[in-house]
Amino acid sequence: MAKPMSFVVVFSLLALAPLCFSSRNGGFGSLYPQYYDHSCPNAKEIVKSIVAKAFAREARIAASILRLHFHDCFVQGCDASLLLDSSGSIRSEKNSNPNRNSARGFEVIDEIKSALEKECPQTVSCADILALAARDSTVITGGPFWEVPLGRKDSRTASLSGSNNNIPAPNNTFQTILNRFQNQGLDIVDLVALSGGHTIGNSRCTSFRQRLYNQNGNGQPDKTLPQPYAAELRNRCPRSGGDNNLFFLDFVSPTKFDNSYFKNIVGFKGLLNSDQVLLTGNDASAALVKKYADNSEVFFEQFAKSMIKMGNISPLTGSNGEIRKTCRKINN
């Protein structure tokens, strides 16, 4: 079903291209899918092939790469600031609470960058690599295809505080999560659709332990959790220890990009508090959860639109930023 849908998504998004590519601040952005057609015509194919090889080695990597793009765009915009290691005045975003011990896939981005530098030196930005790799990770797991607007430059700075404060946390209230999306120019539809990225990947015990033992600071579990599901989770997520024990975000089809995530939420089996509050925290978001649970094609189409919108958060273009030679450090 994903393949026919992909053509629908591509056609509809290209028809809406001027709207989708416009920048947060109004007017039209300078990102467009054909940006490297002449300067590096094999760029997209190189990214796709390396993502495919990484996925063949480990299916989990697709979700990890998708998450990197999300965590990058919510801090300073989509500028590959997340990829910078600490050096000089740069305090790496990799050490923030949302990323420390959980952000992964950096080696795959390094491999892509190395191949692109051999093909066309200092041409393709790390920020664009993240955007393309996130799309390819979605497609390879069965999700929708979309044309990725390109032409981002890489930042010369990072923001550890921005990473700690801008990225929604698993135990946030619905309103806090929505506020953090709205601060990036995204709306409630984008919030629910992009949360659907949790249809693939894993989460650590430490990210949802409070739901099992102390949801509201009163020593009681989250009342919305079905007891059999909660008991199953407690087996490998004790009150203390086991912080890094992994659990599927979508236990039905954890490596397939589909709408099972939303069906799980409707059945009160969302893993993270930030997943389940999409149903329990707001009527409008609950209606969207049910709509996507009922119709995977509607979800796929909106996910693609919202990914384009997210990928266009405050990009550096033109003379702003640089094309890093390696994604982990700024150019000398």
Side-chain angles (χ1 to χ4, degrees), residues 276-294:
Q276 198 58 53
V277 294
L278 299 178
L279 182 75
T280 60
N282 180 277
D283 289 343
S285 69
L288 288 165
V289 166
K290 292 171 184 175
K291 180 164 79 169
Y292 299 151
D294 288 339

Side-chain angles (χ1 to χ4, degrees), residues 3-40:
K3 284 187 177 178
M5 186 58 208
S6 68
F7 292 115
V8 175
V9 171
V10 173
F11 177 79
S12 62
L13 292 179
L14 288 177
L16 293 171
L19 296 176
C20 293
F21 303 164
S22 63
S23 70
R24 252 180 90 187
N25 302 319
F28 296 105
S30 56
L31 306 183
Y32 56 96
Q34 302 80 19
Y35 188 84
Y36 297 110
D37 281 8
H38 298 293
S39 60
C40 194

Side-chain angles (χ1 to χ4, degrees), residues 43-204:
K44 295 175 188 176
E45 197 56 43
I46 289 171
V47 175
K48 179 181 176 182
S49 65
I50 294 176
V51 168
K53 284 195 295 183
F55 181 73
R57 292 193 299 265
E58 181 200 30
R60 182 187 171 199
I61 199 66
S64 299
I65 290 173
L66 183 60
R67 186 170 182 257
L68 286 183
H69 184 42
F70 178 88
H71 281 208
D72 178 50
C73 288
F74 268 59
V75 184
Q76 299 188 167
C78 306
D79 62 357
S81 60
L82 171 57
L83 303 181
L84 289 169
D85 290 338
S86 292
S87 175
S89 62
I90 293 173
R91 299 176 66 202
S92 178
E93 295 168 19
K94 296 174 184 178
N95 298 322
S96 69
N97 291 328
N99 295 324
R100 190 173 57 249
N101 299 323
S102 64
R104 56 194 303 277
F106 298 108
E107 295 79 8
V108 178
I109 304 302
D110 291 340
E111 186 179 351
I112 294 170
K113 181 61 175 173
S114 177
L116 286 169
E117 284 300 302
K118 291 176 183 175
E119 177 79 10
C120 32
Q122 277 196 274
T123 302
V124 182
S125 69
C126 300
D128 280 345
I129 289 172
L130 277 178
L132 285 168
R135 189 274 310 278
D136 293 338
S137 294
T138 301
V139 172
I140 205 168
T141 49
F145 176 92
W146 63 93
E147 292 285 1
V148 179
L150 300 166
R152 301 167 188 80
K153 296 291 177 63
D154 300 324
S155 70
R156 294 179 56 81
T157 62
S159 177
L160 180 60
S161 62
S163 189
N164 277 320
N165 295 318
N166 297 355
I167 298 170
N171 58 352
N172 282 156
T173 65
F174 176 85
Q175 192 57 51
T176 297
I177 297 168
L178 180 60
N179 288 346
R180 291 187 176 187
F181 270 73
Q182 289 175 333
N183 289 341
Q184 304 298 334
L186 303 172
D187 59 27
I188 193 168
V189 176
D190 301 313
L191 162 58
V192 179
L194 291 173
S195 295
H198 282 179
T199 185
I200 55 175
N202 302 275
S203 182
R204 297 181 300 152

